Amino acid sequence: MMPQALNVKDATGRSSGTLRAVTEIPVQLRNIFKEFPYFNYIQSKALDDLLYTEKNFVICSPTGSGKTVMFELAMVRLLMEVPRPWSNIKIVYMAPIKALCNQRHEDWKEKFGPIGLNCKELTGDTEMDDYFEIQDAHIIITTPEKWDTMTRKWRDNSLVQLVRLFLIDEVHVVKDECRGATLEVVVSRMKTVQLAVSRVSNQPDDKTLRFVAVSATIPNVEDIAEWLSDGRGPGISMKIDESYRPVKLRKVVLGFPCSNTQTAFKFDLSLNYKIAGVIQTYSEQKPTLVFCATRKSVQQAASILAKDAKFVMTLEHKQRLQKYANSIKDTKLRDLLIYGVGYHHAGMDLSDRKATEAAFTAGDVPVLFTTSTLAMGVNLPAHLVVIKSTVHYAGGMFQEYSETDILQMMGRAGRPQFDTTATVVIMTKTQTKDKYTQMLDGAHTIESSLHRHLVEHLNAEIILNTITDVNVALEWIRSTFLYIRALKNPNHYGFATGLDRAGIEAKLQELCLKNLHALSSIGLIKMDEEINFKPTETGRLMARYCIAFETMKLFYLVTGSETLTELVTLICNCKEFTDIQLRVNEKKILNTLNKDKNRITIRFPIEGKIKTNEMKVNCLIQAQLGCIPVQEFTLTQDIAKIFKCGVRVTKCLSELLMQQEKKNFLALLNSVILAKCFRAKLWENSTYVSRQLEKIGPTLSSAMVNAGLTTFQKIEDINARELELIVNRHPPFGSQIRESVIHLPKYELSFEQLARYHASVAEIIVTITLTNYEQLQKKRTAPDNHHTSLIIGDADNQVVYKQKITDSALLKSGNWTKKIEVKRASKGEELSVNLISSEYVGLDIQQKYSAFYSGPKRFGTHFIRGKSDVQHTQSAKQNRTENSLMVPTMNAIQESTSELNYTESGKRLCHHYCKNKDKCGHECCKFGVSVGRSCAISQATTTNFSSYLSDLKSRSETSSAPSVKRLKIQTINDLGPVNLQQFAYTAKPPLSTLSRYYETKPGPAAQNQNHISVRSHRQQQTPYYGEAQSQQSSTVIPPRQNTLESFNCNSTEADESGYWSPEEMNVNFDLGDDLWNDFDDEKLVNASNFVSSEEINTDYQTDSSFSIFQNLTGYNQLPESPLKQFQNQTTNDKHKSVGYLPTREQLSSLNSRLSFNSTAQETSKTFGTIHHTSLVKGSKEGLSSASSELNVMKYSKTSGPLDCFRPYSTNTEKESRCASEEECDALLGIFDGIF
């Protein structure tokens, strides 16, 4: 049985047409239209085309005519054609405003949810998760910008190709200057998708894409229908006039005089005093909604109306208003509500907005002032709508409202449940009265705005391979609304009148070519001579992240050495932030954030006062990253908008620099850090790391920082119950927070240099280890796409290595290893190694590492030359002859040491410890220190020992390699290839420490010791990024109860590895820089030749452990050149002797004897042996790892005049001992901090 139609007449007796019944809809889908039994006239007229055909459809009908039902009819048609389950269909609804999308999402979720359709709202900026979110959705509600980002990747995603119905609300937006081009390109791209799918499918008609578009004012609706043609002809177009509107709308345009000298602000202020008369004339004592241009204008107009107009209200009405006022936080609004006047804007507190909306909906507030945002987001209909002034402040200047804005505000006029008529009053200037009269009559023709934004969209189509040359570009242009309107109105697009189709196409082709050259100029595409073009990686980034062409031009100007401050400033100048406006009432707050002595301010203060939009963006970015609270609601909204765009802009910049091969290490590192900061909303060195955890907000994070929980490690170490006390939460909150921290990835970074040394290249193995590998196998706090970026740079700002390493790759084996070849930099050999997390602040690792290169050393701008090859050969022969590698003579040390000499007379090296003296801030490091006459004389009379110590200091400052390494490499170069595995280092357990002032009285245990313990330790500390590294080795003396022990070293470790392990470090024979603070050469004039960097464990003779030092003092009291004679005696033997550490009493006596120059009685000396690895054996096998016997000094027990270590036997000896105690203390002072 066919459903019966209803023939309805209006009040004048004219037939309103036939109304179709809802019973025409299938039963299972009829509940969608359960609110009414019949469709209205406009819906009934369009029903046949929407429900019983699949043609594209465009309709222009007045606001309030039920256009949403027409979309629902098209959806029902698709559901009727496709059998259940509807798993392979997608329906896309696109509206220009997020507020409309939100309304439609809530409505359709309730209507279509019961029949099994999932509804998903897809708005905001690009997120990788969007693809997964819409995978199971049947109805996708989105904006043109969001769908643009989705369809730019449609070849990689089959979900977009499943779209069967495309619904376009407010299609007149296509003429909008800013957003129209995006809508036009998206629709044209969907047509391309349809063609591509039909070519692949054997049945082209099986999966056709249907377009349905609606609008309130489209005079040239036929052009839109032609644009939406399906290849077989234009779509169906329908235009309905105002007479069929359910609530008749009366439109009034009032023009007010405005002189040329009067500003827009003053004109808007003058309209405030005319509002009362307009309301009195047109409101009919019914609710009135007044739209104002700015928030400040809203408050001013409401205050003036409350003073001028008096509303007649009953006592009960006043009591209700007083009840509303008591719940309002805003004091100004509270005072106005009592008089029946309210205001509403996005800068208000949420509770105040809700209370105001409730009061107006209930009819208790007769007049409500609001901004245009209310028209977009909140449906509060009124009998009278007043649009006060048609200009608003946007883009840094005053602009007229767009037609979309005007129509949305007009749409709030009319309450179908209460009224049959409604009124709209537009208050504008006399000069623009005719313009708005024509707009309301629908006389404005819709034109395209694509030609103004063609460059970005051409690039996107080139990335999709839709366009490959100029001819194909023209074919693409033919699919746009621009082409259709250019043929009918060429003057609007800058083309000459009278051109035929071929001439207009030539002009469009020329326009394309101009934009293509602009893209090619900054490397976004590649063009050849035949004008064929291909996409580049840079262009792909621009399309993927929807970056404006002007912003890409800014990125193109990056030099590569930008600091973090400069990159923040660069981001603030991007086109994406041009809609962030600086308001007058915000300047005081922003200036306080920038500079204030009494408060916490931003990290990088801005010079001067905040007076531009860019400065405001900069200040808000830094305030958010620095966790500085911003109380002003309007500013918090701006911050949210900035960071939404900023995440994709900074991500694009970091990936762009990652692709480049020029010297841009600093800029790349800082861009990766900045992108992470935008994502985490924290600075990279922030103490508020806990804010990144779930359930931790600003308040709890501040409490944790105040309690000292500033790192993830501290949070992990704290007791869960104590953590709950800090944040004032109940169990198991503390356990949950600790669990989330424990399951964050924890990285360890290590380096090792391979023992294949070269003058220009070093081979380094970098290893990244997940220290909590086993825990992450069970549970992970970080998202699945979390990764780290390994960036290594040298002193020349060159990127040595860059790589993204995902957590999933590390979880396979627990570590990641890579061998990297590092070319020698001209400005230094220090590398900066950085491991940056993609999302979390507090997980980064930043270290410095110095690679070792063979050949001459470079230091700053000085070129430090070592010995020539001939000198190396001669030195090697001499060393083999004398067999004295470990303790070279003074002359050999002076010859082999390379040091910086100031040629200018009267200059000396300063005592600063700067690694690069050409770049530090000390004048003395660059030019030396002037020496006075007395100092020059004292330097001229410097002893050999003082020169030796100065030489050691110079070598320690100018070379990162230990002296043993330099000596060994020199010998290896002479002797040929060496199998360094023979000298592998074997770690031994560490020995406990003992003060150097231990007892020297020998015991029985010491008399039976005849072996030497060999060990050397060195601690390494990892510096933070940007800090100078000045750690030096320090050696401790292990105790043996009555035995003088010292260290020998396995020196092959320095050769086999180029990196210093945190556990077992290479030996360094240089004295540390920190030993020279209070050094005085004059105290060492008569000092002994004493090597202080190494301590050797020697065993004593069974008779006495003190005889060693008796003979040592004998050496130093030789009548002529005691140092030289001691050196000769050491050199003449086949093996070398090694330095040792005397006790305090022994040194005191030694100094006393040296001071009095008494003659020494020579004692007989015999040498035993100890084990030590030798590098200069002349065997055929090269260097052998077998231990050779090294001489141990044995001394007779004979007592002589220098036997100063035995107990005092006479008072005379005691007096002599006390007389030299002062000199002893002076000598002992130089060893403080060394041992």
Side-chain angles (χ1 to χ4, degrees), residues 253-451:
V253 179
L254 301 178
F256 297 92
C258 177
S259 62
N260 295 331
T261 58
Q262 193 174 13
T263 64
F265 276 122
K266 289 184 177 180
F267 176 72
D268 184 78
L269 189 61
S270 67
L271 295 181
N272 291 337
Y273 299 93
K274 299 177 173 61
I275 291 290
V278 172
I279 293 174
Q280 187 175 1
T281 304
Y282 297 101
S283 70
E284 300 178 6
Q285 296 183 352
K286 293 180 179 179
T288 300
L289 200 59
V290 182
F291 288 101
C292 302
T294 64
R295 299 171 187 178
K296 189 173 183 180
S297 176
V298 165
Q299 296 179 354
Q300 288 177 343
S303 300
I304 291 173
L305 180 66
K307 294 178 182 177
D308 294 348
K310 301 296 181 182
F311 297 100
V312 179
M313 294 180 290
T314 63
L315 181 61
E316 293 180 357
H317 191 181
K318 291 182 179 180
Q319 290 176 348
R320 290 196 299 271
L321 288 176
Q322 185 64 51
K323 183 178 179 181
Y324 285 119
N326 293 338
S327 64
I328 298 298
K329 298 178 182 178
D330 189 344
T331 55
K332 292 182 180 179
L333 178 60
R334 190 186 307 147
D335 296 338
L336 293 175
L337 276 180
I338 300 174
Y339 296 99
V341 178
Y343 62 78
H344 182 291
H345 58 75
M348 293 169 54
D349 186 79
L350 182 61
S351 61
D352 288 358
R353 277 187 286 165
K354 293 294 183 183
T356 307
E357 291 170 12
F360 184 75
T361 304
D364 293 329
V365 175
V367 181
L368 181 65
F369 290 82
T370 183
T371 57
S372 59
T373 54
L374 180 67
M376 309 299 178
V378 183
N379 189 12
L380 292 179
H383 175 75
L384 171 63
V385 169
V386 180
I387 301 176
K388 183 179 76 78
S389 181
T390 54
V391 296
H392 67 293
Y393 193 73
M397 56 193 297
F398 282 100
Q399 297 178 356
E400 297 283 335
Y401 280 123
S402 67
E403 186 172 347
T404 304
D405 294 334
I406 295 291
L407 292 175
Q408 285 295 323
M409 288 185 274
M410 289 173 57
R412 295 293 169 260
R415 300 176 299 165
Q417 65 272 38
F418 300 117
D419 300 328
T420 56
T421 61
T423 306
V424 172
V425 177
I426 298 179
M427 304 172 68
T428 185
K429 299 177 183 178
T430 307
Q431 298 90 320
T432 56
K433 179 180 178 180
D434 294 339
K435 171 187 174 182
Y436 287 98
T437 302
Q438 294 177 2
M439 178 189 293
L440 296 183
D441 294 339
H444 271 179
T445 303
I446 303 295
E447 298 287 355
S448 172
S449 61
L450 178 60
H451 60 293

Side-chain angles (χ1 to χ4, degrees), residues 541-542 545 547 551-552 554-559 562-564 566-572 574 646-660 664 667-672 674-675 678:
L541 288 177
M542 175 182 172
Y545 294 105
I547 304 299
T551 300
M552 294 303 294
L554 279 178
F555 292 170
Y556 183 73
L557 300 176
V558 172
T559 61
E562 281 78 5
T563 61
L564 198 58
E566 293 168 342
L567 287 183
V568 171
T569 305
L570 175 73
I571 294 297
C572 296
C574 293
V647 168
R648 61 183 173 89
V649 173
T650 53
K651 184 70 174 173
C652 178
L653 176 60
S654 63
E655 293 199 14
L656 174 64
L657 295 177
M658 190 78 79
Q659 292 176 358
Q660 296 177 355
N664 64 349
L668 171 60
L669 176 62
N670 288 320
S671 67
V672 172
L674 185 60
F678 264 82

Side-chain angles (χ1 to χ4, degrees), residues 893-911:
I893 291 175
Q894 291 171 1
E895 288 175 4
S896 63
T897 302
S898 301
E899 58 183 355
L900 292 171
N901 293 320
Y902 291 98
T903 56
E904 188 178 350
S905 60
K907 297 281 188 177
R908 66 167 177 82
L909 285 170
C910 67
H911 294 307

Side-chain angles (χ1 to χ4, degrees), residues 524-653:
L524 297 174
I525 62 171
K526 292 180 180 178
M527 295 181 63
D528 57 18
E529 296 178 355
E530 299 178 357
I531 320 182
N532 298 318
F533 27 83
K534 295 181 180 180
T536 63
E537 290 303 319
T538 307
R540 293 183 193 277
L541 288 177
M542 175 182 172
R544 184 187 309 158
Y545 294 105
C546 300
I547 304 299
F549 180 67
E550 296 298 324
T551 300
M552 294 303 294
K553 282 168 46 174
L554 279 178
F555 292 170
Y556 183 73
L557 300 176
V558 172
T559 61
S561 58
E562 281 78 5
T563 61
L564 198 58
T565 318
E566 293 168 342
L567 287 183
V568 171
T569 305
L570 175 73
I571 294 297
C572 296
N573 287 279
C574 293
K575 190 177 180 181
E576 283 74 8
F577 303 117
T578 52
D579 59 336
I580 304 296
Q581 301 300 321
L582 176 62
R583 303 178 183 93
V584 178
N585 61 332
E586 296 170 345
K587 291 184 178 180
K588 182 178 180 181
I589 301 172
L590 293 171
N591 285 319
T592 303
L593 290 173
N594 186 33
K595 294 176 184 177
D596 193 329
K597 296 180 180 179
N598 302 320
R599 299 184 184 179
I600 300 174
T601 56
I602 59 178
R603 181 178 179 182
F604 306 115
I606 306 168
E607 293 185 5
K609 298 288 185 180
I610 306 295
K611 47 186 153 185
T612 64
N613 297 338
E614 292 77 16
M615 296 173 79
K616 173 185 174 179
V617 173
N618 193 335
C619 190
L620 291 180
I621 288 174
Q622 295 196 55
Q624 175 67 36
L625 296 180
C627 298
I628 304 174
V630 178
Q631 304 297 339
E632 185 67 26
F633 185 74
T634 57
L635 293 179
T636 59
Q637 286 185 315
D638 288 336
I639 289 174
K641 191 184 299 183
I642 289 169
F643 274 81
K644 266 188 178 179
C645 289
V647 168
R648 61 183 173 89
V649 173
T650 53
K651 184 70 174 173
C652 178
L653 176 60

